[in-house]
């Protein structure tokens, strides 16, 4: 294998020393330049995609941040209402407090469910929509850097230079097309995040409102025990 590599390297040196092989050096320069430019553009889109995903997660966190304090405030008022109830003995009041703590577990589960489903849906979109394609483009783009050497290995540059140049022409056209098309494709993938994020956010808002309604219903049920001193 090393002997073959030395032979290829020697052929490249010999080819570059001869005028007809200057075109191969130009191909190598063009492939490298295009690869660097393409990689930079993909990196910019990659960063932009990350910013979009972070912003969507921030919006979900803000909604959860509104939900939790509201439920905590409602629970605090509920405790005060239990403490201020008239005509209730200590045994009943203690039993009502135990009920409250039990229903707090259920209410916490409601919060966790809201957060879980929002995370699962947005996470699936974040991981599977943009990243697989960006990784594929990056991998293919990296391959272009060594395209001239790859083509050298597949062709007899000494006896049939035209075949080598013909192959490189085809590869050059392919990578140019790739460089033009990948940007629009990846950008469309980023824009598609918005539809999913809007749906997930609206689902989270609905889930939050339902959790608050259930908390109120729980509290009304527990307070009914105070009406007749738990009898």
């Amino acid at each position: 294998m090393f002997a073959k590599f030395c032979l290829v390297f020697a052929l490249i040196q010999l080819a570059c020393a001869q005028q007809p092989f200057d075109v191969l050096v130009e191909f190598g320069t063009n492939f490298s330049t295009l690869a660097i430019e393409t990689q930079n553009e993909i990196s910019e889109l990659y960063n932009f995609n990350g910013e979009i995903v972070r912003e969507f997660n921030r919006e979900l966190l803000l909604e959860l941040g509104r939900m939790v304090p509201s439920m905590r405030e409602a629970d605090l008022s509920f405790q005060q209402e239990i403490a201020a109830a008239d005509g209730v003995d200590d045994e009943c009041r203690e039993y009502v407090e135990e009920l409250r703590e039990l229903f707090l577990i259920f209410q916490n589960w409601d919060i966790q469910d809201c957060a879980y489903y929002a995370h699962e849906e947005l996470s699936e979109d974040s991981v599977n929509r943009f990243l697989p394609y960006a990784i594929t483009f990056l991998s293919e783009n990296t391959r272009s850097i060594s395209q001239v050497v790859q083509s050298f290995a597949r062709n007899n540059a000494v006896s049939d230079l035209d075949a080598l140049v013909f192959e490189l022409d085809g590869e050059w056209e392919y990578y140019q097309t790739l460089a033009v098309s990948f940007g629009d494709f990846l950008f469309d993938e980023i824009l598609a995040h918005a539809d999913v994020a809007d749906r997930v956010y609206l689902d989270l808002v609905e889930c939050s409102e339902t959790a608050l309604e259930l908390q109120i219903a729980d509290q009304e049920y527990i307070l009914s025990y105070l009406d007749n001193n738990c009898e």
Side-chain angles (χ1 to χ4, degrees):
M1 179 62 70
F2 182 74
K4 289 182 179 179
F5 174 79
C6 291
L7 177 59
V8 171
F9 184 72
L11 287 174
I12 293 175
Q13 287 186 315
L14 177 62
C16 292
Q18 299 177 10
Q19 189 66 24
F21 286 80
D22 288 347
V23 66
L24 302 182
V25 177
E26 184 178 352
F27 267 121
T29 300
N30 291 340
F31 276 122
S32 295
T33 301
L34 182 63
I36 292 173
E37 293 175 352
T38 300
Q39 180 173 335
N40 289 339
E41 291 184 40
I42 294 177
S43 296
E44 290 178 3
L45 289 171
Y46 188 93
N47 291 333
F48 181 48
N49 180 74
E51 292 174 3
I52 293 294
V53 171
R54 285 192 294 272
E55 178 61 23
F56 290 155
N57 277 278
R58 188 182 73 87
E59 289 296 326
L60 295 183
L61 182 59
L62 288 175
E63 177 58 28
L64 289 170
R66 288 186 286 267
M67 174 186 180
V68 174
S70 297
M71 296 185 72
R72 287 173 58 88
E73 183 177 347
D75 180 64
L76 179 60
S77 298
F78 184 52
Q79 292 181 66
Q80 295 172 348
E81 191 171 356
I82 294 174
D86 294 329
V88 179
D89 59 32
D90 292 340
E91 184 178 357
C92 178
R93 203 181 306 274
E94 182 179 350
Y95 177 70
V96 168
E97 280 290 352
E98 290 176 355
L99 280 179
R100 169 188 157 270
E101 292 179 1
L102 174 63
F103 277 85
L104 275 178
I105 296 175
F106 302 149
Q107 292 160 16
N108 188 61
W109 287 350
D110 291 336
I111 296 174
Q112 291 176 334
D113 285 344
C114 291
Y116 174 79
Y117 288 114
H119 166 73
E120 283 296 304
E121 291 191 60
L122 193 59
S123 178
E124 180 178 354
D125 177 76
S126 301
V127 171
N128 296 327
R129 178 171 298 281
F130 172 89
L131 294 179
Y133 302 108
I135 292 172
T136 299
F137 279 127
L138 280 172
S139 177
E140 192 68 359
N141 183 62
T142 300
R143 188 175 70 85
S144 69
I145 298 175
S146 59
Q147 185 58 58
V148 175
V149 176
Q150 294 177 51
S151 295
F152 244 114
R154 287 194 294 264
N155 292 271
N156 190 334
V158 176
S159 62
D160 195 355
L161 178 62
D162 289 342
L164 174 56
V165 173
F166 180 79
E167 178 177 315
L168 289 173
D169 274 330
E171 294 291 344
W172 175 246
E173 182 177 354
Y174 164 73
Y175 285 115
Q176 282 186 309
T177 302
L178 183 69
V180 171
S181 63
F182 84 88
D184 292 339
F185 182 86
L186 291 181
F187 191 72
D188 288 342
E189 285 290 294
I190 294 174
L191 294 180
H193 283 314
D195 291 338
V196 176
D198 287 342
R199 175 176 55 78
V200 173
Y201 181 78
L202 292 176
D203 288 346
L204 179 59
V205 171
E206 182 179 354
C207 187
S208 300
E209 292 173 350
T210 300
L212 289 169
E213 291 171 359
L214 290 174
Q215 182 187 36
I216 293 174
D218 291 343
Q219 292 173 351
E220 290 175 350
Y221 169 74
I222 296 171
L223 284 175
S224 67
Y225 281 83
L226 297 176
D227 293 339
N228 56 359
N229 196 29
C230 299
E231 295 180 358

